[in-house]
Amino acid sequence: VQLQASGGGLVQAGGSLRLSCAASGRTFSSYAMGWFRQAPGKEREFVAAISGSGGITDYADSVTGRVTISRDNGKNTVLLQMNSLKPEDTAVYYCAAGPRLGAYGYWGQGTQVTVSS
């Protein structure tokens, strides 16, 4: 599966962004999807994930309550709605796919999110 992330940009603190990840292939609903981020000088970290059916979601503590992950299996797309953004959310955001939550073997290119204070 090939993944294409988009939707990043520059936003002021307190603002919102919606990231999108478009996937190729006919079996999108069989893949769990995740979003990760990597800030300069830091390790990549988990942000959010969603099961293939969309029935299970998981979030990092740092974004819980501010971020919502969703998917549209008819459009082969997973979304990450981010609200109340903080400067510490600044990072390159990556989407990933795998056979189950926590097991991601496919990665898209990143999309830059910059939150100004």
Side-chain angles (χ1 to χ4, degrees):
V1 61
Q2 293 183 325
L3 305 172
Q4 179 78 32
S6 62
L10 173 64
V11 63
Q12 289 187 335
S16 298
L17 279 176
R18 188 176 72 169
L19 305 185
S20 178
C21 179
S24 65
R26 300 180 180 179
T27 59
F28 178 68
S29 62
S30 68
Y31 289 97
M33 301 294 296
W35 283 97
F36 292 77
R37 67 187 182 186
Q38 187 166 21
K42 295 186 177 181
E43 295 186 351
R44 185 176 61 195
E45 64 175 0
F46 168 76
V47 177
I50 188 167
S51 62
S53 67
I56 300 172
T57 57
D58 188 24
Y59 297 93
D61 290 343
S62 59
V63 302
T64 296
R66 302 187 296 118
V67 166
T68 302
I69 189 171
S70 62
R71 67 189 296 158
D72 184 337
N73 286 341
K75 296 182 179 179
N76 282 17
T77 300
V78 61
L79 301 175
L80 189 71
Q81 178 67 44
M82 302 189 295
N83 301 321
S84 302
L85 284 163
K86 305 174 181 179
E88 51 263 44
D89 294 318
T90 295
V92 177
Y93 284 70
Y94 299 89
C95 60
R100 59 187 181 277
L101 292 171
Y104 305 106
Y106 302 94
W107 294 83
Q109 94 297 349
T111 186
Q112 176 72 47
V113 171
T114 303
V115 184
S116 63
S117 57

